[in-house]
Amino acid sequence: MTTFTTVFVILFFIFILQTVWLFISELAGKDLDLILVVKFLLFSMPRIIPLVLPLSVLLASIMTFGNLAENYEFAAMKSSGISLQRAMRVLIIFICVLSFVAFWFANNVIPYAEYKFVNFRKNIAQAKPAMAIAEGQFNDVGTYNIKVNKKSGENGNILTGVTIHEKANNYGENKTVIKAKNGELISNEKSSILKLVLNDGYYYQDVTPKKYEDRTKLPFIKGEFKKQIINIDLSELNKTDDSQESVGSTNGMLNVNELRYTLDSLNKNLKNEIVSFSENINQRVGIKSSPKVLKTEKKKKPLPNNLLSLYTNKQKSDLLKMAASNVTSNIYSIETTQKDLKDKQRDINKHLTALYEKFVIAFACFLMFFIGAPLGAIIRKGGLGLPIVFAVLIFITFHFINTFGKRLSQEGGMTPFMGSWMSSFILSPLAVLLTYRATNDNGLINFDAITTPISQLFQKISERFFPVQNKQ
């Protein structure tokens, strides 16, 4: 228990440092309070558990049983009639309890922490108006996308190289582009309006003509200015309360019951869209299956084999153009709908993967114990040397296969069930093999099984080609 706790704390600290490194750009140089930084780390900690917990079980198992084997304590227990399974009995009960705790944690704590973490990241950027604009990238601020090359000044309110895209509608289309050499942010704590003063710039504005044929000319308006003031409404951004929860749910923020409910809705929506599109495309191409229509068509006079012979050349040309246009339109509609259906299926696969992952983390603890414990008994090495090497190699293999399977299943390469459980299915035979060999006091690799057939083969070759020498 002490070994497991020590290993868990060390690995947890290492992964926390990795999280800080990944999000250092959101924390460094923004004059955040210590409380905000601590909350940021607290909300990011639970998402690390699925990585740290199985690795801790694996490493602690190798170290513990490696020490017992290295100090010949296993030999003493076996001479007293205590088998390896009996020695592992109490630890197996502990691992079973730990697996249930891991499932409960993945089902309740991690979704809540993920929800808070995503919203808290958004609110960090809203703590100060100047923080809403980062250097070298476009920042979504109200109805504007703002990019600055450099920020200076005491509060970062002096801007150099300003580029602004103004959103014209709810779809995010940029109809107006504003560029300025420099600018200044002026804010008031009592006001929700952020004043952006721009100097020495110009703007482009797209114009949409009423006539369709004039739209291909792409007309626009260009203007220059010495000074221009833009007022940005920050009524939403200035809500610095970190308890604000405005980001919608994702698959990582849902527990098992919520995932099942969401999956049921997504599957029904996908089926309804497939049926709706099938009926729509049948009507567009003119497919009729009504019996009454078929009877009416039988009463009509038979049509000639060449239907175009009924029309003039001009009518033929118009009909062919219309047919080509309809075919192109139908192909475009099919391709667009196919892409939309693939996106919906990908979303379903992601939710299924999130559902299975809650069970995988519980089984991973159980699996890593039955790999680590017999492996430690076989290699007979404790401490932090060889056990770390074996633990890292096994865990990297597990994590790589798990990540590969999830990515492949999300893209439809395999079922989400197989993608989530593939790493467990591949490593389970290894756990069975190691347990069997450790129970029977066999080594990790039986070199005699490899060298004996080779030596026998060489002996037969020698007897066949050099019989006289062998007799002598």
Side-chain angles (χ1 to χ4, degrees):
M1 188 66 181
T2 304
T3 304
F4 171 76
T5 305
T6 305
V7 171
F8 181 83
V9 171
I10 294 174
L11 294 176
F12 194 80
F13 179 73
I14 294 174
F15 280 91
I16 282 293
L17 291 180
Q18 181 190 19
T19 302
V20 174
W21 177 258
L22 290 175
F23 299 103
I24 191 67
S25 60
E26 300 182 23
L27 300 175
K30 293 190 175 181
D31 194 24
L32 295 176
D33 297 335
L34 179 61
I35 297 177
L36 292 178
V37 177
V38 171
K39 286 184 177 180
F40 182 90
L41 295 177
L42 287 176
F43 290 147
S44 63
M45 284 180 182
R47 56 164 47 193
I48 303 174
I49 298 298
L51 291 174
V52 177
L53 193 59
L55 180 57
S56 301
V57 172
L58 176 62
L59 183 56
S61 301
I62 296 177
M63 291 174 61
T64 301
F65 283 81
N67 283 327
L68 292 175
E70 188 178 13
N71 296 324
Y72 299 100
E73 294 182 24
F74 268 136
M77 286 190 294
K78 289 180 180 179
S79 63
S80 302
I82 301 175
S83 63
L84 178 64
Q85 287 81 1
R86 185 178 175 184
M88 295 170 57
R89 188 175 301 169
V90 177
L91 291 177
I92 291 174
I93 297 174
F94 171 74
I95 292 299
C96 291
V97 175
L98 185 64
S99 298
F100 283 109
V101 173
F103 172 76
W104 175 86
F105 193 87
N107 188 45
N108 296 279
V109 179
I110 293 180
Y112 175 77
E114 184 72 14
Y115 185 75
K116 300 289 291 185
F117 178 73
V118 172
N119 286 275
F120 191 74
R121 283 182 59 194
K122 180 179 179 181
N123 292 323
I124 284 180
Q126 299 171 1
K128 295 181 181 180
M131 288 172 53
I133 301 176
E135 293 182 357
Q137 65 185 33
F138 280 99
N139 304 269
D140 192 0
V141 183
T143 59
Y144 299 92
N145 282 321
I146 303 175
K147 177 184 177 182
V148 298
N149 295 333
K150 186 178 180 181
K151 293 169 59 178
S152 58
E154 183 178 356
N155 297 320
N157 61 328
I158 305 300
L159 311 178
T160 304
V162 183
T163 303
I164 301 176
H165 291 172
E166 183 179 359
K167 302 175 186 177
N169 50 40
N170 295 330
Y171 297 101
E173 296 181 1
N174 299 317
K175 295 293 185 180
T176 304
V177 179
I178 304 173
K179 295 183 69 69
K181 291 183 178 179
N182 54 71
E184 181 181 2
L185 290 171
I186 301 175
S187 60
N188 189 344
E189 295 181 358
K190 298 180 180 180
S191 175
S192 62
I193 301 299
L194 176 64
K195 184 181 294 185
L196 177 57
V197 181
L198 302 175
N199 302 315
D200 298 328
Y202 53 90
Y203 68 90
Y204 294 96
Q205 184 175 4
D206 294 336
V207 179
T208 304
K210 295 182 179 179
K211 295 183 179 180
Y212 181 78
E213 55 272 13
D214 293 337
R215 296 181 182 179
T216 57
K217 300 179 182 179
L218 302 177
F220 65 91
I221 298 174
K222 178 182 178 181
E224 297 182 3
F225 58 86
K226 290 292 182 181
K227 182 177 181 180
Q228 183 173 346
I229 299 176
I230 297 178
N231 294 321
I232 303 175
D233 186 8
L234 295 180
S235 57
E236 294 296 327
L237 294 179
N238 280 333
K239 294 179 181 179
T240 59
D241 183 10
D242 53 272
S243 64
Q244 179 187 359
E245 300 174 352
S246 57
V247 177
S249 297
T250 63
N251 48 56
M253 303 177 189
L254 305 177
N255 57 32
V256 171
N257 293 330
E258 292 170 344
L259 282 169
R260 288 176 176 173
Y261 179 81
T262 304
L263 282 168
D264 184 61
S265 301
L266 291 175
N267 284 316
K268 287 182 179 179
N269 185 21
L270 180 62
K271 292 179 181 179
N272 292 335
E273 186 165 344
I274 293 174
V275 172
S276 177
F277 175 74
S278 301
E279 295 176 352
N280 184 29
I281 200 67
N282 288 339
Q283 293 177 358
R284 292 180 63 176
V285 299
I287 297 177
K288 301 178 181 179
S289 58
S290 175
K292 295 182 179 179
V293 176
L294 293 175
K295 291 181 180 179
T296 306
E297 289 179 351
K298 289 181 181 179
K299 295 180 180 179
K300 293 182 179 179
K301 295 181 180 180
L303 297 174
N305 294 330
N306 187 5
L307 295 178
L308 294 178
S309 61
L310 300 175
Y311 302 96
T312 62
N313 290 334
K314 184 177 182 308
Q315 290 174 335
K316 291 178 183 180
S317 177
D318 294 339
L319 287 173
L320 292 175
K321 289 180 180 179
M322 185 182 300
S325 176
N326 289 336
V327 170
T328 304
S329 176
N330 290 332
I331 291 175
Y332 177 77
S333 177
I334 292 173
E335 291 177 349
T336 303
T337 305
Q338 185 180 22
K339 182 179 181 300
D340 185 50
L341 293 178
K342 285 183 178 180
D343 292 338
K344 291 182 180 296
Q345 185 61 53
R346 187 180 295 110
D347 191 27
I348 293 175
N349 292 340
K350 288 181 179 179
H351 281 77
L352 283 172
T353 301
L355 176 63
Y356 294 135
E357 277 298 306
K358 299 183 186 303
F359 298 92
V360 170
I361 181 179
F363 183 76
C365 297
F366 196 77
L367 176 64
M368 290 302 164
F369 173 75
F370 277 94
I371 291 177
L375 182 60
I378 291 173
I379 64 176
R380 297 178 181 179
K381 290 291 183 181
L384 295 175
L386 192 60
I388 290 182
V389 177
F390 279 101
V392 170
L393 290 176
I394 294 172
F395 183 76
I396 288 177
T397 303
F398 175 82
H399 184 63
F400 174 78
I401 297 173
N402 190 34
T403 303
F404 175 76
K406 288 193 295 184
R407 298 293 183 187
L408 192 61
S409 64
Q410 289 174 4
E411 298 299 326
M414 63 173 59
T415 62
F417 178 82
M418 285 300 302
S420 300
W421 288 94
M422 183 168 63
S423 56
S424 300
F425 290 155
I426 292 176
L427 292 182
S428 292
L430 176 62
V432 175
L433 176 63
L434 291 175
T435 304
Y436 173 78
R437 297 188 70 84
T439 303
N440 295 289
D441 292 329
N442 296 327
L444 183 62
I445 299 175
N446 189 359
F447 289 99
D448 292 337
I450 301 175
T451 57
T452 301
I454 295 176
S455 62
Q456 291 177 353
L457 178 63
F458 276 104
Q459 185 177 359
K460 289 181 181 179
I461 294 174
S462 177
E463 291 175 354
R464 180 175 181 181
F465 290 98
F466 305 101
V468 177
Q469 297 178 3
N470 290 333
K471 289 181 180 180
Q472 292 177 356

